[in-house]
Amino acid sequence: MPRAKKGTVSVASQDKMLRLRWRHLGTSHTLPLGLADTPLHRRIAQGKASEIQADIAFDRFDPTLAKYKHDRPEPHRAIGDLFALWIETRRTNGTQETTIAAKYAPLRNHAIRYGLSPTNAKGFVEHLRSHQSASIANQNLSLLKNFAAWSKSMGFWDSNPFTNLPSFKGANQSRIGDPFTTNEIRAILTTCKADLHYGHYHDLIQFLFHSGCRPGEATNLRCSAVNLTACTVTLYASKTDRFRTLPLKPAIVAMLTDRITKPESLLFPSPQGKQINWRNFCTRCWKTICARAFVPYRVPYFTRHSFASHLIEGGATLPQTAHVLGHKDTRMVAKTYGRMVNMPDFPEF
C-alpha cells in the first residue's frame, strides 16, 4: 500500500475503534476518537481529519491536539434528526429496510409529533400505550431503550430514561375482559355526534368501531381507498406491510360518501384539514366523550378489540377474524379470543 502524502491525515481502525494518524514536522501523531468503526462514525472521523489537514496547510496546527478531540455532540439536537442518525446506524449494522419501514420509521414519527426528550420519556411511553396494543407498545419500548442507549453513548443524552420502565404487563388481559358493549358504543357515538366541540370526530369513531382497523390505519386513510360502488375500503398495515379489503355496511358507505373529495385527500382530517393529532384526540376528545357518555374509560384501541369480540360472538371464525384485523395468521387472534369461540356440538356414535 503506498504511503500517504506528507500532511495527510488518515482514518484508521484498531480493535474496531477509530483513530486518526498523521505526521507533522517529523513527529508522528495518533488521535483516538472514541468512536466505533461504523460508516456513520467514519464520516465524522473524516471530517475531523479534514480539519487537521487544513490547520496544517494554513500553519495553525495545535500540537497539544486538544482542539481536535472529538467534540461532544449538541445535546439538544432535534429529535427527528437524532432518530434519523440512529436509524442510519441500525441500517449500516444490517437492519432490513422492511423492518425500518414497519417499526423504526413509525416510532420516529410518533417521537417527532410528541416532542420526545429525556425529560418526558415516561409520558411518551404512556402516550404510546394509550392507543397501541400491548405487544406493539412493548416493542416500541424495547426500541426506545436501544435508541436512548445509543444517544447516551454518542453524547447526545446524559442518561437512558427508558431503562427502568417496565413492559406493559397485564394489558392483554384487560383488553380481553373489557370490550365496549353494544349500548356503550351507541352511547359514545350519540354523545360525540351531539357534542358541539368534538362532533367533528364522530365519523372517525364510528368507522373505528365498524371496521376494527388500527387507529393509525384510519388516520392515514385516503379517499382513494374507498370504493363506493363495491362498498369496500382497502386498508394498509405498516406493521405487516400488507393490504386488505373489507366490506362496508350501508350506514358506513352513506357516511363516507359525504366525506369523499379528492383521491389523495385524507378521509378523516382534523378540523383544520390536517392529519389528526392522535395524542390530542386521546387526551381531549376521547376522554371527554367517554365521561359525558357515562362509559367507563378504556383507551381508543379498545374500538378494535370490541369489534373483534362482537365479530366472533356473531359467529365469525378465527381465520376470518384474523383476516379482517390484518393479522398474518391466527396465532394472535387464537390467543386473545379463542376462549370466546362457541363450544362445538360433540358427535354421537
Side-chain angles (χ1 to χ4, degrees), residues 232-250:
T232 60
V233 61
T234 299
L235 301 171
Y236 171 71
S238 60
K239 176 184 177 182
T240 58
D241 192 27
R242 298 175 66 186
F243 289 91
R244 67 189 188 282
T245 299
L246 305 180
L248 297 173
K249 290 288 187 179

Side-chain angles (χ1 to χ4, degrees), residues 7 21 28 43 87 89 103 221 252 262 311 316 321 329:
R21 299 178 60 184
S28 296
R43 289 197 290 271
I87 291 173
T89 300
K103 298 180 180 180
L221 202 58
I252 303 302
K262 297 180 181 179
L311 196 66
T321 304
D329 51 51

Side-chain angles (χ1 to χ4, degrees), residues 258-335:
D258 296 333
R259 305 188 68 88
I260 300 296
T261 54
K262 297 180 181 179
E264 68 277 8
S265 298
L266 289 167
L267 189 60
F268 300 107
S270 70
Q272 294 75 33
K274 300 179 180 180
Q275 187 166 15
I276 290 175
N277 184 314
W278 191 251
R279 178 190 179 192
N280 288 340
F281 171 83
C282 294
T283 57
R284 297 177 184 175
C285 171
W286 185 256
K287 286 186 176 181
T288 300
I289 294 301
C290 285
R292 292 176 180 174
F294 300 101
V295 173
Y297 177 81
R298 280 90 102 194
V299 296
Y301 204 88
F302 269 62
T303 58
R304 177 173 166 85
H305 170 55
S306 301
F307 171 84
S309 298
H310 290 287
L311 196 66
I312 292 175
E313 288 179 348
T317 65
L318 295 183
Q320 288 173 328
T321 304
H323 170 72
V324 171
L325 294 179
H327 292 299
K328 290 182 178 180
D329 51 51
T330 62
R331 286 179 296 178
M332 179 64 72
V333 174
K335 179 180 178 181

